[in-house]
Amino acid sequence: MLPWKRALRPLAALLLTAAVATVPAAIAAAADTAPSSGWNDFSCKPSAAHPRPVVLVHGTLGNSVDNWLSLAPYLKDRGYCVYSLDYGQLTGVPLFYGLGPIDKSAEQLSAFVDKVLAATGAAKADLVGHSQGGMMPRYYLKFLGGAGKVNALVGLAPDNHGATLSGLTNLLPYFPGASDLVKATTPGLADQIPGSDFLAKLNAGGDTVPGVHYTVIATKYDEVATPWQSQYLSGSDVHNVLLQDLCPLDLSEHVAIGLFDRIAFHEVTNALDPPHATATTCASVFS
């Protein structure tokens, strides 16, 4: 890359980030056709345009509020009934969730989806997850009967085949007892280390199950679920997307793609409503 292009890239990223942060709320409000104005409003009834409720699944160390301060209103303002849950809580650890055994977290998701479907009267839900939240639901779909209750799973930087933390997990064998300590104190983290028993079970026999539409939205600047290509799924009903193929100027990394990236959010809505999908570009920050 030429030196002047390297110099302009941070500037372009700064301008793009500023655009994301300053898009007027009125733009979203103009598109608001929601049957209810609430997020986690169990009186919300899905509209004919968006007949399935959307369940948001936070990532490791996230929670049902902080992870979705941008995406939940974004979807709500576009007419969706939106819900989010807390899962994977450890005793004595407030606010930071997703640390418990992932198979048990999937059971919590199962119960929550049942609650949402009962309240809304919908036959199926759509799931949108960030990081662990994009991977954990696959256990629910594969082993807990979720495939009959879920239409689509959309993962934002999901660690479908583990999280190496840019290779840091490869150092664990050099520290005797470190792996056992992680497993004993934060089993949800241990389950996400490539080669774990959990991931071996999850991915055995194929990445997907029939009847569910899968979308993976990755960023090449991911520093957690690395290499970023490991986020991709294989299957007959899978759409793998690299964020930078949609907008080369987008420098979002693992956290930003789920917290405030409106380009990624636009692609989420495409995955939730394919018949009305529109091209996702850098200009999607204004959509």
Side-chain angles (χ1 to χ4, degrees):
M1 181 181 292
L2 295 176
W4 66 269
K5 288 187 176 180
R6 281 199 299 267
L8 285 178
R9 182 191 243 178
L11 177 60
L14 179 62
L15 292 174
L16 187 63
T17 301
V20 170
T22 59
V23 171
I27 295 177
D32 190 356
T33 56
S36 167
S37 60
W39 161 26
N40 267 343
D41 177 4
F42 282 86
S43 67
C44 182
K45 297 301 178 184
S47 65
H50 301 300
R52 292 178 302 274
V54 178
V55 175
L56 304 177
V57 190
H58 66 74
T60 306
L61 298 175
N63 60 56
S64 61
V65 177
D66 290 353
N67 211 144
W68 306 120
L69 289 173
S70 294
L71 182 56
Y74 183 94
L75 294 175
K76 178 181 66 67
D77 289 342
R78 283 155 179 77
Y80 291 90
C81 291
V82 182
Y83 304 87
S84 62
L85 76 156
D86 289 317
Y87 70 85
Q89 300 93 328
L90 293 181
T91 302
V93 181
L95 301 178
F96 300 104
Y97 303 139
L99 297 172
I102 297 181
D103 58 347
K104 300 301 180 184
S105 294
E107 293 177 5
Q108 292 180 282
L109 174 62
S110 177
F112 189 79
V113 170
D114 285 348
K115 179 181 178 182
V116 169
L117 293 180
T120 60
K124 290 187 176 184
D126 288 325
L127 308 180
V128 179
H130 179 213
S131 191
Q132 181 190 161
M135 174 270 288
M136 175 270 279
R138 293 178 49 226
Y139 190 95
Y140 162 56
L141 300 177
K142 194 170 187 177
F143 299 109
L144 302 179
K149 302 174 183 179
V150 172
N151 169 70
L153 170 61
V154 184
L156 290 161
D159 55 339
N160 283 313
H161 299 94
T164 67
L165 302 175
S166 298
L168 287 177
T169 59
N170 297 330
L171 300 177
L172 286 173
Y174 296 98
F175 297 88
S179 295
D180 292 337
L181 179 63
V182 173
K183 187 173 183 178
T185 56
T186 53
L189 295 182
D191 284 344
Q192 295 177 77
I193 296 174
S196 70
D197 291 342
F198 173 83
L199 287 173
K201 178 179 180 180
L202 176 65
N203 293 314
D207 292 343
T208 64
V209 296
V212 179
H213 308 293
Y214 295 84
T215 299
V216 172
I217 304 172
T219 169
K220 67 180 182 181
Y221 300 112
D222 202 304
E223 73 280 26
V224 175
T226 51
W228 62 262
Q229 294 90 339
S230 68
Q231 300 172 26
Y232 282 178
L233 295 172
S234 297
S236 59
D237 197 350
V238 172
H239 182 45
N240 292 313
V241 181
L242 179 63
L243 195 57
Q244 285 71 35
D245 286 342
L246 307 176
C247 175
L249 297 177
D250 195 323
L251 301 185
S252 287
E253 43 64 73
H254 186 80
V255 175
I257 193 175
L259 263 59
F260 60 77
D261 193 314
R262 292 176 67 96
I263 296 169
F265 295 175
H266 186 272
E267 192 64 11
V268 168
T269 61
N270 282 345
L272 295 176
D273 189 9
H276 299 99
T278 58
T280 300
T281 68
C282 294
S284 296
V285 297
F286 301 106
S287 64

